[in-house]
């Protein structure tokens, strides 16, 4: 099980880096393009991904020694519900104010924050023992205490959900940029 968690952790980091590498080629106007005034831009969506992981993992990360949290009925029922919402891409309000992006962080800053977080998570996973591997030390605002495996599963599915969203925004941003360039070239 430890090897599986280490692989999931490495895959999460690889996938997030690949997403950031793909987005690094976009112009600032494309990164900040919003299809609708109340929707997020690509940059805000990436910031949300980073903030969400920081929110869930951060309580254990900054506690020094992560402490075991007892799981209650909410945890056992909430985890599958959150998984299904993310898996099917059901629109849902952001469950914590700490996960709401402000759009003022650069892609480079987000890369650094995400890399630091994933580095800490990898080191945490590497230190797990058979006695600690199933402990719920992380905290999701909807499910309550969750294990490292559950955290990694939700992080993967959350990344997948928002990568699809970023793809849709990117298509609209590029179409908007092409349309704007065409319109300006038609001016006398």
């Amino acid at each position: 099980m430890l090897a599986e968690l280490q692989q999931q952790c490495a895959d999460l980091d690889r996938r997030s880096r690949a997403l950031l590498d793909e987005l690094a080629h976009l112009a600032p106007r494309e990164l900040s393009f919003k299809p609708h005034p109340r929707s997020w831009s690509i940059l805000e969506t990436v910031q949300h991904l980073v903030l969400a992981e920081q929110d869930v993992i951060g309580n254990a990360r900054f506690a020094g020694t992560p402490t075991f949290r007892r799981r209650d009925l909410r945890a056992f029922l909430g985890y599958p519900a959150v998984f299904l919402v993310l898996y099917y891409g059901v629109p849902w309000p952001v469950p914590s104010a700490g996960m709401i992006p402000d759009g003022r962080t650069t892609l480079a800053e987000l890369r650094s924050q995400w890399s630091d977080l994933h580095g800490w998570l990898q080191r945490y996973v590497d230190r797990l023992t058979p006695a600690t591997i199933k402990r719920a030390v992380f905290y999701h605002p909807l499910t309550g205490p969750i294990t490292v495996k559950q955290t990694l599963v939700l992080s993967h599915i959350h990344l997948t959900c928002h990568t699809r969203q970023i793809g849709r925004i990117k298509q609209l941003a590029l179409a908007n940029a092409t349309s704007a360039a065409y319109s300006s070239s038609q001016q006398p």
Side-chain angles (χ1 to χ4, degrees):
M1 182 162 188
L2 181 57
E4 176 188 341
L5 292 177
Q6 290 169 323
Q7 186 60 49
Q8 286 178 343
C9 199
D11 287 347
L12 181 64
D13 187 55
R14 179 191 51 76
R15 289 181 61 213
S16 64
R17 288 175 191 269
L19 174 63
L20 293 171
D21 290 346
E22 175 188 330
L23 299 176
H25 305 292
L26 295 178
R29 71 182 175 282
E30 293 160 345
L31 288 170
S32 62
F33 173 79
K34 291 185 175 192
H36 183 274
R38 290 177 36 199
S39 64
W40 289 344
S41 67
I42 291 171
L43 197 58
E44 288 170 322
T45 305
V46 173
Q47 185 183 17
H48 165 70
L49 285 165
V50 175
L51 291 172
E53 285 186 28
Q54 287 175 336
D55 196 58
V56 171
I57 295 168
N59 59 58
R61 181 180 181 196
F62 297 111
T65 303
T67 57
F68 172 71
R69 296 169 178 263
R70 289 227 179 269
R71 300 185 76 218
D72 56 12
L73 184 60
R74 180 178 101 169
F76 288 103
L77 298 177
Y79 174 79
V82 170
F83 177 89
L84 291 172
V85 163
L86 292 172
Y87 184 81
Y88 288 107
V90 177
W92 197 267
V94 177
S96 166
M99 297 179 182
I100 299 173
D102 61 15
R104 295 186 300 222
T105 309
T106 67
L107 210 53
E109 291 168 326
L110 292 170
R111 180 183 296 272
S112 176
Q113 291 171 14
W114 226 354
S115 179
D116 288 348
L117 183 64
H118 289 167
W120 180 88
L121 187 58
Q122 186 71 58
R123 289 186 300 277
Y124 173 77
V125 168
D126 289 344
R127 291 190 312 267
L128 288 173
T129 66
T132 61
I133 205 163
K134 292 185 179 183
R135 288 186 177 171
V137 298
F138 300 114
Y139 189 86
H140 187 281
L142 294 178
T143 70
I146 55 177
T147 66
V148 68
K149 181 175 182 168
Q150 291 173 319
T151 300
L152 286 165
V153 168
L154 288 183
S155 293
H156 274 280
I157 198 73
H158 191 233
L159 178 58
T160 299
C161 177
H162 285 298
T163 297
R164 288 191 303 256
Q165 177 187 5
I166 288 167
R168 291 188 299 269
I169 299 168
K170 183 179 171 185
Q171 285 181 327
L172 292 169
L174 294 173
N176 184 62
T178 302
S179 174
Y182 177 77
S183 294
S184 67
S185 72
Q186 299 300 310
Q187 299 293 326

